[in-house]
Amino acid sequence: MRIIEGSPQEIVEYERLAGVTTEAVSTEDSAASPDEETEPARETAAPDGSASLQPEDHVALMKFVYGRAGKNDVRTFLTERFLMRLLDEEDVVVAFGRSSKTSDGLADYLMIRDDGPQRYGAVAYLRPSNGGMTVRLGPDDIEHLGEEHNPRIQYRNVAPSDPYKINCPLADEDALELALKLLRAALDIVRNE
């Protein structure tokens, strides 16, 4: 389990004092969530891909999901199920987006990152409020996966340099499976570059 909070300078100083080192994040690829500003994030990672989160981290994650998903039971259930499967099956870090505009200091999205070297920032952003997942893939990647005609995939109208060109809302079980497939493809890409 890893939880990181603080400014970049505070984290670097902590790591220096604790003798811990981490990989640097490329400034080119540490872009904020589409349409959001970047602030320091609190991260939650299950060790070795295991969903055995510490109770306080599981509660914090579910409190965030339930608090941000509103009263839509299906969206809440699918978001929770997606996150638990993801943490159980993949080596990822889930980080809470930060915002100075909310009372709890958290934005309305979660960042999903590879639990390896952080060269590319997040591979996906998940918004419990609408069940939307924006993933670091483009139309060519979707075509390569054979999903270019899948009605659950939404193409974002963004600048060519924006790597987050695909949305996959968690609207039903099939969309959940597709979202996991897309996220795995994005993880494979960043792990092999």
Side-chain angles (χ1 to χ4, degrees):
M1 175 63 59
R2 180 174 68 188
I3 297 177
I4 302 173
E5 284 189 85
S7 70
Q9 295 81 11
E10 292 169 333
I11 293 170
V12 168
E13 180 63 15
Y14 165 77
E15 289 173 343
R16 185 186 68 75
L17 292 172
V20 176
T21 60
T22 59
E23 297 289 329
V25 177
S26 160
T27 56
E28 173 186 336
D29 292 314
S30 63
S33 161
D35 313 318
E36 291 291 335
E37 295 179 12
T38 300
E39 294 188 25
R42 178 177 173 192
E43 298 184 352
T44 303
D48 303 318
S50 167
S52 58
L53 291 173
Q54 294 295 319
E56 62 273 11
D57 292 317
H58 180 82
V59 168
L61 187 57
M62 291 306 101
K63 181 179 175 185
F64 180 85
V65 169
Y66 282 65
R68 296 305 197 267
K71 297 186 187 317
N72 186 318
D73 294 338
V74 172
R75 181 173 45 237
T76 303
F77 173 77
L78 290 170
T79 301
E80 178 180 1
R81 186 169 171 166
F82 173 81
L83 287 168
M84 291 302 100
R85 283 199 47 204
L86 181 65
L87 288 169
D88 189 41
E89 297 171 10
E90 298 294 330
D91 291 328
V92 295
V93 173
V94 175
F96 299 98
R98 306 293 274 178
S99 173
S100 59
K101 298 176 184 174
T102 60
S103 61
D104 63 2
L106 301 176
D108 66 344
Y109 62 89
L110 295 166
M111 296 175 286
I112 301 168
R113 295 186 243 185
D114 179 28
D115 196 22
Q118 298 297 308
R119 296 177 296 210
Y120 297 101
V123 294
Y125 291 87
L126 178 63
R127 295 182 187 277
S129 60
N130 63 10
M133 185 184 77
T134 302
V135 66
R136 186 185 179 89
L137 292 174
D140 292 343
D141 300 313
I142 300 303
E143 186 176 337
H144 178 72
L145 292 169
E147 297 289 352
E148 66 271 20
H149 300 295
N150 192 318
R152 291 179 174 82
I153 292 176
Q154 299 171 352
Y155 295 88
R156 299 180 70 228
N157 184 15
V158 294
S161 61
D162 189 329
Y164 302 93
K165 293 180 173 53
I166 304 298
N167 281 335
C168 181
L170 302 177
D172 55 35
E173 283 292 327
D174 290 335
L176 186 143
E177 293 302 322
L178 178 61
L180 286 166
K181 178 180 181 179
L182 296 177
L183 190 76
R184 287 182 183 118
L187 284 167
D188 285 343
I189 290 169
V190 299
R191 288 173 179 162
N192 292 313
E193 286 187 351

